[in-house]
Amino acid sequence: MVAPVAVNRRDTRRRFEQWVRNTGCEANLVSAVHNIKMGTVARVENPQAPREGQSVFALARGRTFEAGLVKDGGARLIEALQRHEVFETPDPGFLDFRTTANGGALADLDAAILRTEAFLRALAQDVPSGTDPAKRFEGVVSSATVRIPKGVMLPEATLIIDAITVTWVDNRPMISVGEIKTYSDRGGHTSRGDLAVARAQMGLYVHALQLVCETLGIHDRIEVSDRGFLVLTFPGSNVPSVRIGEELKYQVERARRGFDLLEKSAATLPELFGGERDGEDGDERVDESHDENYRDLVDVVLKAPTAFGDQCLSFCERADACFERALREGDGAILGDDVARFLNGLSLDRADELMGGSRPHSEAERDFLRRMRSPLDAEGARR
Amino acid sequence: MTTELDTTRRLRAWHEGRPQPRGEALNVHVGDDDDILCLSFVRMGGESLPWGVIVGGATTPEGKNRKPSSKSGSTPRVFTVPDPRNRDLVADMMIAVGREVLAHFGHPRYCPDQDESLSVYRFRQLWMPNPSHLEMLHSLAFAYARTRWERADVEVLRDFGLLANCLFVESQRPGQQTVVVASSALSSVYSFPTSPVREAHLGHQLAWFGRERTRATRLDAARAAEKFPVATALDPDFERRSLAPLVDKWNDAPRPDRVRLGKSHASAITKILSAELERRHDLVVDAIGLLRRDTRRPNSGLRDLVRIGRESFSKIWWDNVLKSMADDPDAPAYWPGLWGDVTAGSAAFAYHSRSAAAAEARQILVHGDRALQEEELLAGHGLRITVTGIAGRGSTWNASFDFPEIPSLKSGGSLSIAGAATHSSKSSLKIADFDLDARTIVLQPKWSAARSALGALGMSSDDQRWVGKVLVLVDDFPPDLTARLAGRAAKRSAHDFDPLALFKRERDPEPQEPADT
């Protein structure tokens, strides 16, 4: 029996990726662990804080593209995969585990999790019984939903996988994870950043599927491949462009280590854990800002130490406020992470004074001035 | 090591409170008004083709009132569609844009003065605000370069798609001066007192040059400027509030009647997009103006880079245009591919070609700018020596070196004296021997007689005035040799053997039961 899942705690992948972006920031850690959106915190700090968000048109296109792929029994998606000879059978099957909220038939995520687990068990049962190859499932599953069964930080970690394929290798089912994105496939020039995000996402899904199979005791009967596939678009059209054989070995390892580290980091915040946290299961709050506990947690994030860095500009809505703070504190990170490292503990204000002719008072300051000198200028007089 | 140099430069810029010149010379070519076309795009979230385009020259009419000026090409032209999800409307727009861009690059079909243009390609430049606009060129190439769409003026789309692809391919070649991303150009010319992540924003960069009096106020201005996007994407919140309702209304009408009934909504959308496009265009024009006002001399090597760029672009685009127009089955056009390096062989070819182009560009520019020589030394591509003696009537020099700490030297390798080069000659020396412990080196000059074109460094190789001189020597490995590697790699790719096959992971063999004998 799957325990009901709190809606506000479900977006595990987003929270995990948020934490990975800046693991040195305690505020980021608290925000990720307790699912306190940084946007909410940013607007408490500064009501004018910019709202990060996705384009409404991009969201609509994403929905349309995905819906187009899975309609009519996933005909378009299957056809795109068949062009790469993914399946041996000429007539691959299609299962749709989408919830009603996403245009599917299942009532909610809990139902999707149950269906996915039942599907995995059934797949494993086909192995020892030597099911007639014609009767065993080979094809695509849309929106397979898994819950990471262990975890200190996120007992209810839920992941919805855009698509998985099931093929058979040596009479064992092999599951490959797929990710659907609307950005265009421009061959070797496809945005490296976008591809990295998609691959990291798939690595996390592979890790989650491996954990689920282990928990269900079927990991020796089902192989979760460390090669996935991407479904992108051809530029300027809605025609899917599939990239198979995406190497995910290191992304899986990243996810595994990341979750371990996140759990360890989360364990350093004991005062925020307790009965309250576990008791939230099933609590499907809509407007969290009116929740007293939530407001308390926002306050905790606000008071937690921050560590501003270059990466904050790309994902955190508090980046502006943290930049201001870093500027006031003379943190070299405002000029880039390399400057913070170069200053080696020296404040930017002091570095400024030293560059202006102030006498150095310590070996660290003398070292700074030495390193600031151009190697050519040092001997330039001889030229 | 170059990163550390960047770091110290950034700290100095912070101390001065304003961008600092990077190097003694300008290492970016800024063409004449006739040579430059500025191109900027905006796109709808989630779409890969443009929602609007602005095309214009390197100057803006006085007062930026957008009224046509007497100076041809200085008034930017704006093109928009109400909804870029409508492929027909986008294609119509791109046909109009394509004609302008093709004419700028002198495509004979789109130039009225065809007779002259048929013979040679004249160097042209395309300026864009930031790299996302360059990516848009590639998307346009995908959409139109090979299109088999049956519609009016499809050949314009195809010609434009092919040009867009050639421009994108050329933009990847190190040292090229044909496609200039304005934010990258400014970063190569100035050191900014800001994080490199923020330097990608052209508005942020330009605001540092404003009239504010203090570092704090300039920083405020730069941070305020970056609230307005420069990339092809619009601010999602702005898009949601200002454009989404208008697009919805435009789409309310039945599809066949949308253009006719939605005129007011379409013009409202155009008005909003125009402001966005004009801001991007103005920033590019401002960047060009800033570079033109810079009092530093252009690097003497830029002339060679422009020449190489003209030859390179002529080869990949112009020659193919002429071939396709001649329609000779024995000499078909061979257009560059869209997908990049799809085989190991082509990847190896591209890698070596780019390495050669990068080395060539470095060697061409390094003699004209002491800051680049500094970068070369710090990157281990050079040596600083003091000439201690001359032997064998100038055939051998003995020298000691003091920088870098651990040089990368090879007997038989070649170095040249930094600053002693014109486009036709330079002072190269062969490494005969060296002792890393004693920090001494024996060099063989490859010239003997004096050369007046090289000024003070043009003395004959046996001139005793060399003794005691401190010289910066830079790497002089001939780029042609690297380029030849590219050719060899391409030839190898003709065989069936694919080196990537070596990396395919095989499953470990299952332990086998011993067979009954």
Side-chain angles (χ1 to χ4, degrees), chain A residues 55 61 320 352 372 374 383, chain B residues 12 46 227 239 370 374:
Chain A
S55 154
R61 180 163 189 226
D320 253 357
D352 205 9
M372 280 299 290
S374 157
R383 296 186 72 195
Chain B
R12 285 199 192 95
K227 307 283 181 220
E239 199 182 44
R370 192 165 167 262
E374 197 174 8

Side-chain angles (χ1 to χ4, degrees), chain A residues 230-242:
Chain A
L230 281 169
V231 184
L232 310 178
T233 58
F234 278 105
S237 80
N238 270 333
V239 176
S241 171
V242 171

Side-chain angles (χ1 to χ4, degrees), chain B residues 172 174 340-341 343-357 485-487 489-490:
Chain B
Q172 308 295 308
D341 312 317
T343 65
S346 62
F349 174 79
Y351 172 77
H352 289 305
S353 302
R354 284 179 198 174
S355 293
L485 272 179

